[in-house]
């Protein structure tokens, strides 16, 4: 090596040493803003002592992240705020590609913005991603920088987290307000619907009081009472069902059920309404019986709700058709009417809770807007579906329920049906216990008409005494009783020698699983919800083993 060359190298080394000393000094004095190692030019120091210090201080104090980038997106400089946003040490960002800190799903959008930013301003949203995977919603603004200023693009990063938070809060607030409004509407409708039957009931009671037993006055009044009470029971049942569905507490009592029985039960319930509105209700059943694995009462409720809607939403004298057919593995139930129809934009929300197309209370046939919710949930609980079709307002509607059908032989069903019809119910001794004397008297009177021997008790102590002396086959025992409640009365009856084999049925207003469990552990055989479903009681009496009768 020549002396000259050696001299030049020594000079170069000395210069680098001086630079290194300067760097060390700058680091010690805390004035280093950034230290960049550039392969071509060696280390470069950015200090706050430089001429652009006021601007740098400004940028450091900003609430936004800020960075200058090379054309390829490499970070030349960035403020501390950006490092805080990304939760990475500041020095790791310098020389890194900002692209790598963008959420993978948003990188294409970021690259597009960056490409634009080389020539003109542009902005857009992209989510940044922290090392722990957390996403930070951000608004990025790109600006091209003047030539020879050490970087090509400036970028500002606005954290949108708190804005998003506000937006979410506002949306939640909106949803709450909407729910509160729907609840108020619902309560108004409920009050209206519960009040509706009260006036005719009051009138009927007055008529009965004044009629002096004249059949021509008594019969229509009792018919009216029955209709109105049925409507109230229906309303309250729907309400309870919705509550149970919301709590996931509805239980199905599934067994093979003939669709003919479901249809019969539903049609029987709706026929008085159809008749009063002069509708022509036509039922078509297939020649071969179809069975499903389901809960007869619930499925009859599904079909009954659709039929009563068809009646309600069709002008007097309409045509309502109910048909059942088998489509491959499915039983298909169609309820079609030529009534007011449903607008296309209402079809989707019609199964929502409290949804009513016309919520004005003036509408004659309003309900609570929960019937179709129940229909849908109950169909789904049976593994089925429900769909609605309507060509539009005034064009009628069709509801189609599809349920999984069982593969059954027609013969077996026919013989089962015949057997159930000819079942003979022997006379039983029945003790009816209820502190509501009207409820107890009327139930006992009905049972007497069916040929059974009955006795009454109106409190728990009376019930225990009557059980010992009357020795009934069956006790229908209310739970909320004076002196001794139904659970305690049941326990005491079971302690009696004759009480061991009696059929004890709890009759209560509460049908939740917890109530059933309690009555079971008190010694009840069965739990029935008030008002007692009379056909179910008849089935129970038919099913009671003959040996049970002591009489
Ligand atoms: P409700 O009958 O108590 O109002 P539903 O849940 O049974 O509640 O029905 C919700 C709404 O769907 C009704 O208020 C009515 O607007 C509309 N609807 C239901 N069935 C029919 C039908 N067959 N024809 C026209 N509209 C119907």
């Amino acid at each position: 090596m020549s002396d000259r060359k050696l001299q030049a190298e020594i000079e170069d080394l000395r210069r680098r040493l001086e630079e290194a000393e300067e760097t060390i000094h700058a680091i010690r004095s805390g004035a280093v803003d950034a230290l960049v190692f550039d392969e071509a030019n060696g280390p470069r120091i950015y200090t706050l002592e430089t001429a652009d210090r006021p601007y740098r201080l400004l940028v450091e104090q900003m609430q936004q992240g800020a960075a200058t980038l090379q054309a390829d997106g490499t970070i030349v400089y960035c403020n501390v705020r950006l490092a805080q946003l990304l939760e990475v040490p500041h020095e790791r960002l310098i020389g890194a590609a900002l692209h790598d800190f963008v959420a993978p799903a948003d990188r294409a959008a970021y690259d597009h913005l960056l490409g634009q930013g080389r020539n003109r301003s542009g902005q857009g949203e992209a989510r940044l991603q922290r090392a722990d995977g957390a996403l930070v919603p951000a608004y990025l603004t790109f600006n091209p920088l003047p030539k020879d200023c050490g970087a090509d693009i400036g970028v500002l990063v606005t954290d949108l987290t708190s804005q998003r938070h506000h937006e979410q809060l506002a949306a939640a607030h909106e949803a709450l307000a909407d729910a509160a409004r729907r609840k108020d509407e619902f309560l108004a409708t409920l009050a209206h619907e519960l009040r509706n039957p009260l006036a005719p009931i009051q009138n009927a009671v007055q008529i009965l009081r004044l009629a002096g037993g004249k059949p021509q006055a008594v019969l229509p009044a009792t018919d009216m009472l029955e209709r109105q009470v049925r409507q109230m029971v229906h309303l309250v049942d729907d309400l309870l069902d919705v509550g149970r569905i919301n709590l996931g507490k509805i239980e199905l009592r599934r067994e093979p059920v003939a669709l003919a029985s479901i249809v019969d039960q539903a049609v029987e319930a709706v026929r008085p309404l159809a008749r009063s509105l002069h509708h022509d209700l036509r039922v078509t059943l297939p020649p071969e019986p179809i069975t499903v694995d389901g809960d007869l009462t619930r499925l009859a409720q599904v079909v009954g709700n659709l039929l009563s809607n068809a009646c309600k939403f069709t002008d007097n004298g309409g045509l309502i058709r109910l048909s059942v057919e088998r489509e491959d593995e499915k039983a298909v139930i169609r309820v079609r009417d030529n009534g007011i129809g449903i607008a296309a934009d209402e079809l989707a929300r019609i199964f929502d809770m409290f949804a009513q197309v016309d919520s004005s209370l003036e509408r004659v046939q309003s309900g609570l807007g929960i019937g179709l919710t129940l229909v849908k949930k109950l169909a789904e609980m049976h593994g089925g579906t429900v769909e609605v079709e309507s060509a539009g307002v005034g064009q009628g509607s069709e509801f189609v329920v599809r349920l999984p059908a069982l593969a059954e032989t027609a013969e077996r069903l026919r013989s089962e049906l015949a057997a159930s019809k000819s079942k003979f119910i022997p006379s039983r001794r029945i003790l009816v216990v209820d502190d509501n004397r009207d409820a107890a008297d009327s139930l006992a009177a009905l049972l007497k008409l069916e040929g059974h021997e009955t006795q009454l008790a109106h409190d728990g102590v009376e019930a225990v005494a009557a059980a010992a002396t009357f020795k009934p086959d069956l006790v229908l025992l209310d739970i909320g009783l004076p002196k001794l409640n139904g659970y305690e009365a049941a326990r005491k009856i079971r302690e009696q020698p004759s009480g061991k084999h009696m059929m004890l049925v709890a009759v209560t207003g509460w049908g939740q699983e917890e109530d059933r469990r309690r009555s079971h552990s008190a010694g009840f055989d069965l739990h029935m919800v008030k008002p007692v479903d009379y056909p179910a009681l008849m089935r129970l009496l038919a099913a009671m083993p003959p040996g049970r009768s002591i009489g």
Side-chain angles (χ1 to χ4, degrees):
M1 193 182 285
S2 68
D3 278 0
R4 246 174 179 215
K5 229 175 173 185
L6 197 64
Q7 193 65 31
E9 283 222 349
I10 289 170
E11 274 306 307
D12 190 41
L13 279 173
R14 183 170 293 144
R15 191 178 48 77
R16 286 191 188 209
L17 203 62
E18 274 170 12
E19 274 178 13
E21 270 172 0
E22 253 175 51
T23 308
I24 289 164
H25 175 73
I27 290 170
R28 281 213 179 112
S29 63
V32 170
D33 183 28
L35 185 66
V36 176
F37 188 82
D38 181 329
E39 279 194 14
N41 304 311
R44 277 201 310 193
I45 307 167
Y46 290 94
T47 73
L48 295 177
E49 302 303 326
T50 51
D52 57 359
R53 185 167 183 245
Y55 302 106
R56 287 190 178 275
L57 281 175
L58 185 70
V59 170
E60 285 307 328
Q61 283 162 11
M62 273 176 15
Q63 281 306 301
Q64 288 167 302
T68 52
L69 310 176
Q70 286 174 0
D72 65 358
T74 306
I75 301 173
V76 177
Y77 156 82
C78 77
N79 67 356
V80 176
R81 177 77 188 119
L82 185 63
Q84 285 168 346
L85 257 180
L86 292 170
E87 290 185 350
V88 285
H90 186 253
E91 60 273 15
R92 257 199 55 206
L93 283 175
I94 308 296
L98 186 54
H99 172 100
D100 296 340
F101 296 91
V102 174
D106 293 356
R107 282 182 185 163
Y110 164 82
D111 288 344
H112 179 72
L113 285 171
L114 178 73
Q116 272 188 343
R118 290 179 197 126
N119 306 312
R120 57 190 160 90
S121 302
Q123 51 268 316
E125 283 187 26
R127 285 163 305 165
L128 305 179
Q129 189 165 28
R130 293 180 174 150
D132 62 1
L135 297 176
V136 185
Y139 191 75
L140 309 182
T141 309
F142 292 84
N143 281 303
L145 296 177
K147 293 236 169 314
D148 304 327
C149 73
D152 303 299
I153 304 161
V155 58
L156 287 177
V157 181
T158 311
D159 181 4
L160 296 179
T161 307
S162 59
Q163 187 179 327
R164 284 289 131 81
H165 197 61
H166 278 116
E167 284 166 7
Q168 279 165 1
L169 273 180
H173 187 75
E174 181 90 351
L176 264 180
D178 193 48
R181 189 184 45 73
R182 284 209 291 169
K183 191 202 71 193
D184 287 347
E185 267 177 27
F186 168 70
L187 284 178
T189 315
L190 177 61
H192 182 263
E193 287 299 306
L194 285 175
R195 216 161 196 294
N196 260 347
L198 292 182
I201 287 176
Q202 226 163 14
N203 294 342
V205 169
Q206 206 61 23
I207 292 169
L208 290 176
R209 189 166 287 150
L210 299 174
K214 287 192 204 105
Q216 67 270 34
V218 169
L219 277 178
T222 45
D223 279 356
M224 180 159 78
L225 270 177
E226 197 182 345
R227 263 198 317 278
Q228 299 299 334
V229 167
R230 203 185 304 137
Q231 191 180 329
M232 286 193 92
V233 167
H234 186 79
L235 213 60
V236 174
D237 278 352
D238 272 5
L239 273 175
L240 285 173
D241 282 349
V242 163
R244 284 186 209 128
I245 281 188
N246 282 344
L247 295 169
K249 277 195 174 167
I250 274 208
E251 279 177 35
L252 298 180
R253 279 172 227 157
R254 291 173 89 143
E255 55 187 344
V257 202
L259 268 170
S261 322
I262 297 168
V263 167
D264 276 356
Q265 194 160 320
V267 168
E268 194 186 318
V270 176
R271 198 155 314 261
L273 176 64
R275 202 170 286 144
S276 71
L277 298 169
H278 309 289
H279 292 320
D280 181 2
L281 174 54
R282 293 187 200 163
V283 180
T284 317
L285 290 174
E288 285 302 305
I290 307 176
T291 41
V292 293
D293 177 34
D295 184 322
L296 170 63
T297 312
R298 294 305 188 181
L299 289 176
Q301 192 179 359
V302 166
V303 180
N305 274 352
L306 294 179
L307 279 176
S308 77
N309 274 352
C311 289
K312 281 168 27 180
F313 300 107
T314 299
D315 290 338
N316 282 11
L319 175 61
I320 291 157
R321 277 174 287 181
L322 166 63
S323 71
V324 176
E325 62 197 338
R326 185 189 266 272
E327 273 175 18
D328 302 324
E329 312 286 275
K330 300 265 186 247
V332 184
I333 307 163
R334 288 174 202 277
V335 177
R336 198 179 320 164
D337 64 57
N338 61 349
I340 64 168
I342 302 161
D345 57 341
E346 297 286 352
L347 288 174
R349 61 168 208 114
I350 209 144
F351 294 101
D352 291 353
M353 185 89 89
F354 309 144
Q356 292 187 314
V357 173
D358 173 10
S359 61
S360 67
L361 291 181
E362 289 79 47
R363 206 185 59 200
V364 194
Q365 299 290 356
S366 64
L368 292 176
I370 51 184
L372 286 181
T373 311
L374 279 176
V375 165
K376 182 159 187 267
K377 301 262 180 181
L378 289 173
E380 285 170 356
M381 283 171 76
H382 281 88
T385 57
V386 56
E387 284 164 11
V388 57
E389 272 173 35
S390 171
V393 174
Q395 307 285 309
S397 317
E398 183 179 55
F399 288 80
V400 186
V401 178
R402 289 190 169 78
L403 299 168
L406 288 178
E408 283 281 356
T409 61
E411 285 73 13
R412 199 178 79 88
L413 269 165
R414 280 204 196 96
S415 62
E416 255 181 29
L417 218 62
S420 73
K421 271 191 188 142
S422 64
K423 191 132 190 176
F424 165 73
I425 305 180
S427 169
R428 307 284 188 181
R429 294 158 79 89
I430 305 171
L431 174 61
V432 180
V433 190
D434 199 327
D435 59 333
N436 179 335
R437 283 172 194 264
D438 287 347
D441 288 353
S442 51
L443 184 56
L446 266 177
L447 290 167
K448 220 178 242 166
L449 282 175
E450 299 277 353
H452 302 289
E453 203 180 324
T454 61
Q455 190 157 327
L456 290 170
H458 301 300
D459 64 53
V461 174
E462 244 182 64
V464 177
T469 53
F470 180 54
K471 296 191 172 46
D473 305 314
L474 170 67
V475 186
L476 297 172
L477 185 49
D478 188 19
I479 295 294
L481 283 174
K483 297 190 187 165
L484 200 62
N485 72 35
Y487 296 123
E488 289 164 24
R491 281 201 188 92
K492 288 211 183 306
I493 291 174
R494 281 283 186 240
E495 283 165 12
Q496 298 168 357
S498 57
K500 299 260 178 308
H501 304 294
M502 271 174 207
M503 171 79 86
L504 293 190
V505 178
V507 181
T508 102
W510 307 104
Q512 307 287 17
E513 193 43 46
E514 171 60 18
D515 305 307
R516 290 179 192 277
R517 205 192 48 69
R518 255 190 99 181
S519 62
H520 183 75
S521 68
F524 282 103
D525 295 296
L526 268 178
H527 187 113
M528 285 184 149
V529 177
K530 272 184 189 173
V532 171
D533 175 6
Y534 200 65
L537 185 56
M538 289 301 103
R539 282 200 293 277
L540 167 69
L541 285 165
M544 270 170 64
R548 204 146 198 158
S549 184
I550 298 164

